[in-house]
Structure formats: C-alpha cells, structure tokens
C-alpha cells in the first residue's frame, strides 16, 4: 500500500437526452455525460442510479445498471432496462431534460486477453445490454466476434443490428422459433469450437447458459468471463451486501459483485 | 471561522462527522478525500474468519433499508496487515470496530487491535445478527457491564461502546457501559426488523430478520441518544438515520457530541462531506463560534415526568 487511492467514481446529475421504448419490453435511456467520465468507462462496468421518486414510486436505494453504451465523442451514456419494479418504473418516467443522479463507473470490466482472437458472446434478453459494449471493444481491438443472441420472440431480440454493424457474426435463437433450447445452443457452440472460432466465452445472467458454457469450456479448455448480478446497497464495496460464492482452488470464497465483479471468471462462478 | 472540533473521551476530532461502522471502507477513498472526515470507523471485525449471512443481505422498505450482513471478517491478522497500514496515510484518527461471541474472545481481540495507528476502539456489543435471535451483550445492563469490564482491562485506548435499540433498558445499559469503563457511547446500532415478500411469502432477507437503518430509525436512535446523554457523564456519538444537516443538528441539540453517518452514504457517497460543509455554514448562520455550544442545548426542563413515563413504556 504505497499511496492514497485516486478518485475513480463520480456522483453526478446527468441530463436525460431520451428515454424511449426499444420494443414491447425494454427501454433505452440516453444521458448527456461529460467526456472525462465517459473516457473512464469500460465494457462490463456499471453505474449506480438514484432512481427518481416519481410516478408514485419511492425507490430508496440506488439501482445498479450495467452500461449499455458509452460514446465520448457524442457525450452520451446509454442504459437498456426492462421495467420490473419501483426503481425501473420510476426511471421510465424520466423525460428530456430531467436530471438523473448517477454514481460510477463502478466495478471490474470485461478483459480480452491478447491470445483471445475469436470471441463468442452468449446472452439472452436484457443480458445483451451488458455485453453490447464488449462488442465495441472487440471491434476496436480487431477481434472476431460471434454473438449468439437468445430471446423469447424475434421481436424481443435486441442489439443484433448493433452487433452486426460492428462486424460480428450474429446467430439468433428464439423460443418462438423453437431454436433456443439448450441442446440446440450446445450444437451451435460446438460448431464454433470445431471451426476454431471460440477462444473465449462471454456471458451473463442465465444459470442454464452458465452451466452449459462451463461444461463446454471444461471439455475444450476454453476460458470465459461472466457478468453477474446481486442485490446491492452501496455499490462501492463497503457494505458487503452483494456477495456471491465462487470456487477458487479447492475452496469456496465470497466475492462482492460490485467490487471484485460484476465480471468474474466463468469457470469460478457457481450456478444458482 | 467556526470551530467544528470536538473532544470524544480524550480523542480530539477536527469535526463531529464520521462514518458508522459497516458503511465505510478503504473503497470510499475512490470517491472523496477521506481526510475530510472527523474520524474513520472500520467495519466490525472478529478475531477469526467469518463468511457472514446468506443472501439476500439487503432489502429496502419505505424510505429505509434492512440488512443482515452477518459481520463477514477476514480476521484480525489480515486486518492488522492490510487495513491499519492503509489508514496510516491519513491524519484523521482511526477507530477500529470489533466484536466477539464471548466476553473473553472480545477482550483478546481488543488487546490485539491496540496497536500504533489505532486511536480508539469501538466495541460493537450490539450487533443484532451475531448471536441467535438477535441477542447481544448490550440488551441487558449486567452483560454490558461484564463485557465492558473485560474490554477495559484489555486496552489503554479510548473505548466507545456501541449500544443497541433492541433493549427496554436504554439508560441502565448506558450507565452499565460507563461504569464498566466506556469512554464514549455510540447510540445506536440498527433495530431488529423484518420484511416479507407477499407473493412468495418468504422473508426478504436470507437471514429472515435484519437491522433497520435509514431515516425511519432516526426518531428511535435520537430518543436513545438523548436518554444516554442524560443518564451518563461520557460523550454520546449519535447514530441512526442521519442524512440531512437538520438531522445532525437535532442529534447535537439532544446531547450528542458527534454523529455517525451510515445508510445516507449508500444513497449519496459524499453525504458526509456535504454534512461537514453544511454544519459549518449553519453554525456560522446562527452566529455560533463552536459546534460545542450546540451540544446538549435541548430545552427540556419541564418534561421530567413525561420522560420517566415514556421510559417505562414498552
């Protein structure tokens, strides 16, 4: 411990540029953000949002939300969310020009090792939001990316155009088309492995996908990273509310999703 | 120029604003300059390794929160090796919060953390989670007195006893802590509470019950701070639901010499900085030259009978 840590997280009121539905279930919130804040953001990190007391809702604690996009040139910070509770219902009331108090960027980002040339991203639903900035980073580093996007219905597939615009191969699987079952997903991934197009996996959110990717990862010695969630209070690391268990060596350890995560080694993660 | 400094049982603080244990850590140094604070109060540690409670460890209730963290601790070795040296970079005094399952284990830890770099020890004799059914030393005067005597014998550093609202004998426990050797009282910890999800019919906390903190707790903890200040001759540090400058002033008027801020930091990480600045402005606006002029200035002379009656009420 050599010195006092530098300031890395900022609490700022940001102006809403837009807050519109992207389909029947999800909304995209675009905030105007200072360039130096955006320059600190990394794929996989999150902000802790102080949702407004609005629309009859009285959310108290901040709500962690992964960064959907950060664009220093445009001065924009994007979030993708599904309205599920008091916090997100209050968020949905935000209109152009309203202020939203954000704290961040927080947490450990995704990393892309030098020898991971072919990345495979596997996500479902809102999990695609968390992985979207990873596609941008992969593109920036010139890595090949395959994005396997799963949803209940083709109408709820998100970010697929975005992934494609960044040069990713997009594979869509939906419940409605009967293509999203685990058996089919395994075949798709095994096909990528056989073709030498899977040096590392990135995923988030789904227990079933985690188990499958761990099995395939173990089978072929392919590493991966997973972004995880947990109820949080402080978002910075003080309170130890948001721990999850992980396998490390021959024992189980509890790590804070806000601090040691939200991105973790996929093989150390424990399905829940 | 307003003098914000206070004296807490021989320890001089440059201002009366400090974090509540469990809501502060080295991590906050990435948000603001920790040297602005009156004191640094660590998360409670135990002698050995503790995993803490099952998740969910937190839930929100209207305008406040419940937690059942369960004092996860890396043990005293890791604490002395990593945490104490971290705070040596700061001028602000370090207050170490400790807890133990037995009075003897508690005292041993108290002795072990009495090292250079530690300015005072906050003894968490009140955490509602550490023993079954939320029982804690500070629920009763006798167990409070016994554990404080052993802790007093274990260190020469100032001892701050953190009391619990989960008692019907606030004044008696406060006096027992003073007689047992406490140099100051921290009033108070969280109050044992519960919340149930009506759809799943499951308690919202993995530990079933947990401690309430935030604005809902304030009137209860303020009442206790007032009672403790009247019942003893040692400084009281108010703690419970403080989020605004008015809250700070209210505690000081009630008799607290300093305050701890906890849950408010989760909502606004820089809350304590705002409160320090706000306190200075408020005192200046009132034409007061020292924060100490405010302490215990409550006008309550005619209320003795009501106070006695309320203390007897459940």
């Amino acid at each position: 411990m050599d010195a006092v840590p530098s300031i890395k997280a900022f609490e700022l009121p940001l102006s809403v540029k837009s807050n519109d539905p992207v389909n029947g279930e999800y909304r995209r919130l675009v905030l105007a953000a200072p360039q130096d804040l955006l320059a600190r953001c990394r794929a996989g990190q999150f902000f802790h949002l102080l949702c407004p007391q609005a629309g009859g809702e009285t959310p108290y604690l901040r709500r962690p939300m992964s960064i959907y996009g950060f664009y220093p040139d445009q001065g924009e910070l994007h979030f993708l969310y599904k309205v599920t509770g008091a916090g997100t219902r209050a968020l949905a009331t935000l209109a152009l020009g309203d202020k939203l108090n954000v704290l961040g960027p927080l947490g450990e980002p995704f990393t892309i090792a030098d020898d991971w040339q072919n990345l495979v991203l596997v996500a479902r639903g809102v999990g695609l939001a968390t992985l979207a900035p990873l596609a941008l980073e992969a593109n920036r580093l010139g890595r090949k990316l395959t994005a396997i996007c799963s949803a209940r219905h083709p109408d709820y597939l998100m970010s697929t155009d975005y992934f494609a615009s960044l040069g990713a191969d997009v594979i869509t699987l939906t419940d409605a088309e009967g293509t999203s079952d685990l058996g089919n997903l395994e075949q798709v991934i095994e096909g990528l492995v056989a073709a030498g197009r899977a040096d590392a996996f990135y995923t988030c959110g789904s227990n079933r996908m985690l188990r499958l990717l761990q099995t395939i990862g173990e089978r072929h010695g392919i590493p991966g990273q997973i972004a995880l969630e947990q109820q949080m209070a402080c978002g910075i690391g003080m309170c130890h509310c948001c721990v999850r268990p992980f396998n490390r060596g021959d024992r189980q350890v509890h790590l804070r999703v806000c601090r040691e995560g939200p991105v973790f080694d996929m093989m150390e993660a424990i399905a829940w | 120029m307003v003098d914000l400094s206070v004296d807490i049982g021989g320890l001089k603080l440059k201002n009366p604003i400090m974090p509540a244990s469990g809501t502060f850590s080295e991590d906050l140094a990435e948000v603001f300059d920790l040297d602005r604070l009156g004191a640094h109060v660590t998360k409670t540690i135990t002698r050995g390794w503790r995993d803490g409670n099952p998740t969910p460890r937190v839930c929100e209730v209207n305008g406040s929160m419940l937690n059942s963290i369960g004092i996860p601790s890396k043990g005293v070795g890791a604490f002395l090796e990593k945490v104490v040296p971290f705070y040596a970079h700061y001028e602000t005094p370090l207050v170490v919060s400790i807890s133990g399952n037995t009075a003897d284990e508690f005292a041993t830890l108290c002795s072990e953390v009495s090292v250079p770099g530690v300015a005072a020890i906050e003894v968490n004799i009140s955490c509602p989670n550490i023993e079954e059914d939320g029982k804690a030393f500070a629920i009763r005067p006798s167990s409070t007195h016994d554990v404080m005597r052993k802790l007093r014998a274990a260190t020469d550093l100032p001892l701050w006893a953190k009391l619990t609202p989960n008692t019907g004998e606030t004044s008696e426990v406060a006096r027992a802590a003073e007689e047992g050797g406490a140099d100051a009282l921290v009033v108070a910890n969280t109050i044992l509470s519960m919340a149930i999800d009506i759809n799943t019919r499951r308690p919202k906390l993995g530990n079933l019950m947990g401690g309430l903190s935030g604005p809902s707790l304030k009137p209860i903890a303020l009442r206790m701070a007032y009672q403790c200040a009247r019942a003893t001759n040692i400084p009281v540090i108010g703690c419970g639901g403080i989020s605004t400058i008015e809250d700070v002033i209210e505690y000081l008027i009630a008799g607290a010499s300093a305050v701890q801020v906890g849950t408010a930091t989760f909502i606004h990480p820089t809350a304590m900085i705002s409160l320090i600045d706000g306190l200075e402005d408020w005192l200046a606006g009132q034409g007061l030259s020292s924060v100490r002029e405010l302490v215990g200035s409550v006008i309550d002379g005619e209320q003795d009978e009501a106070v006695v009656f309320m203390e007897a009420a459940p």
Side-chain angles (χ1 to χ4, degrees):
Chain A
M1 204 75 64
D2 296 318
V4 170
S6 57
I7 305 295
K8 291 178 186 161
F10 300 84
E11 183 188 346
L12 293 170
L14 301 182
S15 288
V16 173
K17 289 180 86 169
S18 65
N19 184 20
D20 300 319
V22 294
N23 60 32
E25 292 194 322
Y26 293 93
R27 300 175 74 94
R28 182 174 58 192
L29 176 64
V30 178
L31 302 174
Q35 205 168 29
D36 56 348
L37 181 75
L38 296 165
R40 292 172 173 274
C41 297
R42 297 289 178 271
Q45 287 188 303
F46 70 98
F47 276 81
H48 217 18
L49 309 182
L50 190 62
C51 300
Q53 308 235 324
E57 304 295 344
T58 54
Y60 180 65
L61 296 168
R62 285 175 181 266
R63 303 298 200 264
M65 196 169 285
S66 61
I67 301 169
Y68 180 53
F70 55 98
Y71 306 95
D73 293 343
Q74 288 101 308
E76 288 182 358
L77 179 61
H78 294 202
F79 297 98
L80 188 73
Y81 64 99
K82 184 176 180 177
V83 177
T84 54
T88 44
R89 279 196 296 272
L91 272 189
T93 68
L94 289 171
L96 175 70
D98 286 351
K99 296 280 187 191
L100 177 66
N101 182 299
V102 308
L103 169 67
L106 298 168
E108 290 296 321
F110 288 110
T111 54
I112 301 175
D114 291 344
D115 56 344
W116 297 354
Q117 291 299 324
N118 301 281
L119 314 181
V120 178
L121 170 166
V122 187
R124 182 173 168 90
V126 79
L128 293 162
T130 305
L131 295 175
L134 181 72
L136 194 64
E137 181 66 4
N139 176 271
R140 194 181 69 79
L141 295 173
R143 308 298 167 88
K144 292 192 189 73
L145 177 71
T146 305
I148 304 175
C149 307
S150 173
R152 280 198 291 123
H153 191 273
D155 290 349
Y156 296 148
L157 280 166
M158 286 174 300
S159 312
T160 50
D161 294 343
Y162 180 71
F163 290 140
S165 74
L166 291 167
D169 284 328
V170 179
I171 299 169
T172 62
L173 308 172
T174 65
D175 301 356
E177 297 165 314
T179 51
S180 63
D181 61 285
L182 277 190
N184 190 45
L185 178 59
E186 180 167 6
Q187 280 190 6
V188 169
I189 296 171
E190 283 290 353
L192 293 170
V193 173
R197 289 168 56 194
D199 297 334
F201 297 122
Y202 294 89
T203 189
C204 61
S206 161
N207 215 1
R208 299 184 318 151
M209 283 183 179
L210 170 62
R211 283 210 183 89
L212 176 63
L213 288 171
Q214 284 178 330
T215 303
I216 298 173
E218 192 154 19
R219 195 181 289 154
H220 301 286
I222 299 171
Q225 298 188 334
I226 181 166
L228 291 169
E229 297 182 335
Q230 182 65 282
Q231 281 102 329
M232 286 185 193
C234 75
I236 298 171
M238 296 100 75
C239 72
H240 291 254
C241 284
C242 65
V243 297
R244 293 188 81 107
F246 294 85
N247 291 315
R248 188 160 283 181
D250 55 358
R251 67 190 189 102
Q252 235 181 55
V253 296
H254 281 97
L255 301 175
R256 296 166 294 184
V257 170
C258 75
R259 188 76 198 179
E260 286 83 34
V263 176
F264 294 95
D265 184 309
M266 188 184 80
M267 300 310 282
E268 290 184 349
I270 296 175
W272 54 97
Chain B
M1 190 67 186
V2 179
D3 182 5
L4 290 181
S5 70
V6 293
D7 188 302
I8 304 295
L11 180 64
K12 179 128 173 167
L13 309 181
K14 61 178 170 268
N15 68 63
I17 310 289
M18 68 184 92
S21 176
T23 65
F24 180 77
S25 69
E26 301 91 291
D27 305 301
L28 209 52
E30 295 182 2
V31 184
F32 66 82
D33 176 9
L34 300 186
D35 251 341
R36 293 285 317 275
L37 302 173
H40 295 155
V41 184
T42 66
K43 185 170 174 62
T44 299
I45 62 158
T46 53
R47 280 200 81 198
W49 178 284
R50 276 178 64 92
D51 263 341
N53 285 336
T55 55
R57 290 176 170 186
V58 60
C59 74
E60 71 176 44
V61 292
N62 200 359
S64 289
M65 65 175 274
L66 307 189
N67 84 80
S68 64
I69 313 292
I71 314 190
S73 172
K74 289 181 176 163
V76 63
F79 182 80
L80 294 175
E81 193 182 320
K82 297 202 171 130
V83 180
V84 175
F86 173 88
Y87 289 104
H89 292 107
Y90 298 94
E91 286 176 9
T92 294
L94 176 64
V95 181
V96 174
S97 172
I98 62 170
S99 192
N101 287 311
T102 67
D104 289 330
E105 182 191 315
F106 217 139
T108 303
L109 178 58
C110 188
S111 165
E112 286 168 339
V113 299
S114 298
V115 297
V118 176
I121 299 172
E122 180 176 289
V123 290
N124 182 2
I125 58 175
S126 60
C127 184
N129 295 327
I130 195 134
E131 291 179 312
E132 279 179 46
D133 299 330
K135 285 198 190 76
F137 296 101
I139 289 177
R140 294 183 192 90
S142 57
S143 48
T144 300
H145 190 262
D146 291 348
V147 73
M148 288 308 302
R149 285 286 296 273
K150 288 191 170 172
L151 291 163
R152 182 69 281 166
T155 187
D156 293 327
L157 289 174
L159 274 181
W160 298 1
K162 187 161 182 180
L163 305 188
T164 176
N166 303 317
T167 177
E169 301 177 275
T170 299
S171 298
E172 292 82 354
V173 167
R175 278 194 288 270
E178 181 182 25
E179 286 162 15
D183 298 291
L185 303 174
V186 180
V187 185
N189 210 314
T190 57
I191 191 163
L192 195 60
S193 303
M194 192 173 189
I196 298 170
D197 184 321
I198 60 167
N199 295 313
T200 64
R201 301 195 186 190
R202 292 177 189 277
K204 288 186 177 177
L205 294 175
N207 194 45
L208 309 184
M209 294 177 281
L212 172 72
S213 66
S216 317
L217 179 63
K218 200 195 79 178
I220 298 168
L222 181 82
R223 177 267 298 172
M224 290 183 65
Y226 171 75
Q227 288 177 302
C228 292
R230 282 175 63 112
T232 69
N233 292 307
I234 51 178
V236 168
I237 299 163
C239 177
I242 294 170
S243 56
T244 67
I245 188 62
E246 289 78 12
D247 296 333
V248 173
I249 292 159
E250 201 177 351
Y251 268 96
L252 296 175
I253 291 173
S257 300
V259 295
Q260 295 187 343
V261 179
T263 304
T265 297
F266 295 169
I267 311 301
H268 293 289
T270 55
M272 287 183 283
I273 303 303
S274 307
L275 293 176
I276 294 165
D277 294 340
L279 180 60
E280 186 167 8
D281 292 347
W282 191 89
L283 291 166
Q286 295 284 313
L288 297 172
S289 60
S290 165
V291 68
R292 297 187 298 279
E293 293 173 42
L294 210 53
V295 175
S297 60
V298 61
I299 298 168
D300 59 352
E302 306 301 316
Q303 304 296 320
D304 281 356
E305 218 164 295
V307 170
V308 171
F309 171 76
M310 286 310 295
E311 196 166 352

